[in-house]
Amino acid sequence: MGHLDDKVAIVTGAGRGIGREVALLMASEGAKVLVNDLGGEASGEGKDIKVADQVVADIQEAGGEAVANYDSVAEFENGQKMVQQAIDAFGSIDIVVNNAGILRDRMIFNMTEEEWDTVIGVHLKGTFNMTRAAAPHFKAQKSGRFINFSSTSGLIGNIGQANYGAAKLGIAGITKVTALDMARYNVTANTIAPFAWSRLIGTIPTENEEQEQRVGKLKEMTPAHIAPIVSYLGSDDAADVTGQIFGVRGKEIMLFSQPRPIRSAYSSEGWSVEDIGNTVKEAFKNDFTSLDVSSDVFPYNPLV
């Protein structure tokens, strides 16, 4: 018996990388899977439908059930079409894994509107499109699972990724509100920030031995490490886990904190500009969050 027997799952961006491993594991756990991937490059350009077909073939060869879908998640109507395709093929929809993504890295002073819009469209609007399409079905059946992918590029920060970081922090936001909106219907929504070697981070420069060693360690963080927690969050046992942000880094699973006030200052007279500089800044500055990038917060080698 699998942990996802009789469940129907949609996995976006499932042709390669993390999405592929999630689709394969979910199928091996008994889920029927709609494998969505338009087969684009890391930048989102191009189209190769064979990548989705291959994952479907691999699932079927292992005795599972799957169908392919080649639509872009960035178009609102495609979310509706995917959910309907899953229902037509398998009779229901139980799990949506929003994994599809692209990269268009550029420093903020050089980023084009198109680079911004495209990344926001696939990651953030794509997550909304799929969520909006599935939510009425989940509400009616009083069950369902949303599993969305964020990134430390948004949760912590990375240089040159304003579009990607904004989208990924936005995904943490939509996931929390989805969890709140759907809680009364026994529907959960959780976020995962994955660390894994994929095409999307395969462009990291290796100009010296230190960088080569770092990339070597990153390559050991295979996408297969991410799939078990995604499958778990889709299972019945995770019915009481919602609104959380998890990280997976090699064989390490972590739970992220979420923003809450850590210091406050009160003045019965209200605050003048000068008083803020003299009092509030002085009171707060030892607790300011440092201007870190993801690798500052995770400087240690992954446990693989």
Side-chain angles (χ1 to χ4, degrees):
M1 293 286 290
H3 291 95
L4 300 176
D5 285 348
D6 302 319
K7 306 286 189 192
V8 177
I10 294 174
V11 183
T12 69
R16 303 182 181 95
I18 293 170
R20 178 179 185 275
E21 296 296 336
V22 168
L24 292 174
L25 184 61
M26 282 190 153
S28 75
E29 290 286 349
K32 302 175 181 71
V33 183
L34 184 144
V35 176
N36 159 260
D37 204 301
L38 57 74
E41 299 301 315
S43 64
E45 294 165 352
K47 190 163 184 174
D48 178 9
I49 63 172
K50 292 192 295 294
V51 296
D53 290 342
Q54 185 59 56
V55 176
V56 169
D58 291 343
I59 289 171
Q60 292 172 340
E61 195 174 316
E65 295 185 55
V67 294
N69 174 279
Y70 319 111
D71 294 328
S72 167
V73 297
E75 306 301 327
F76 183 77
E77 60 271 17
N78 288 345
Q80 311 286 329
K81 284 165 57 180
M82 269 184 255
V83 168
Q84 193 59 51
Q85 183 183 347
I87 292 170
D88 291 345
F90 302 123
S92 65
I93 177 66
D94 302 289
I95 303 165
V96 174
V97 181
N98 285 306
N99 165 77
I102 62 170
L103 281 181
R104 296 281 184 90
D105 290 2
R106 192 85 65 194
M107 297 298 275
I108 189 65
F109 43 79
N110 287 327
M111 186 171 288
T112 67
E113 182 184 21
E114 193 264 343
E115 288 165 341
W116 172 269
D117 287 346
T118 305
V119 170
I120 296 292
V122 173
H123 288 277
L124 186 54
K125 184 154 191 257
T127 297
F128 166 72
N129 291 342
M130 298 305 302
T131 302
R132 178 61 181 82
H137 298 277
F138 288 177
K139 178 174 177 278
Q141 68 198 23
K142 291 188 166 50
S143 67
R145 300 281 186 272
F146 291 108
I147 303 150
N148 300 331
F149 278 90
S150 184
S151 170
T152 55
S153 292
L155 299 171
I156 296 167
N158 272 330
I159 293 168
Q161 294 194 315
N163 47 6
Y164 184 70
K168 288 306 195 182
L169 194 55
I171 286 170
I174 188 180
T175 307
K176 171 53 71 78
V177 175
T178 301
L180 291 166
D181 285 358
M182 302 299 291
R184 72 188 71 176
Y185 307 108
N186 303 311
V187 175
T188 70
N190 291 285
T191 307
I192 298 174
F195 297 76
W197 183 260
S198 69
R199 295 177 310 144
L200 293 197
I201 61 169
T203 56
I204 293 174
T206 53
E207 295 165 1
N208 56 46
E209 190 175 340
E210 183 183 353
Q211 288 175 334
E212 284 181 15
Q213 288 178 345
R214 177 174 171 244
V215 167
K217 282 292 182 183
L218 287 174
K219 284 183 177 177
E220 294 179 39
M221 292 192 293
T222 66
H225 289 308
I226 315 298
I229 192 170
V230 181
S231 292
Y232 174 75
L233 290 172
S235 72
D236 290 340
D237 194 60
D240 58 347
V241 181
T242 191
Q244 303 307 306
I245 303 173
F246 297 95
V248 184
R249 191 173 187 264
K251 293 176 181 172
E252 180 183 15
I253 294 177
M254 61 196 82
L255 179 67
F256 277 85
S257 64
Q258 299 187 35
R260 298 291 186 273
I262 57 171
R263 295 293 302 272
S264 67
Y266 169 77
S267 168
S268 59
E269 307 298 320
W271 292 102
S272 70
V273 173
E274 185 175 0
D275 287 344
I276 291 172
N278 292 335
T279 304
V280 178
K281 187 179 85 167
E282 293 305 309
F284 285 4
K285 67 181 183 182
N286 288 339
D287 292 303
F288 284 170
T289 302
S290 55
L291 199 59
D292 295 325
V293 295
S294 181
S295 58
D296 295 327
V297 177
F298 298 97
Y300 57 95
N301 284 332
L303 306 169
V304 293

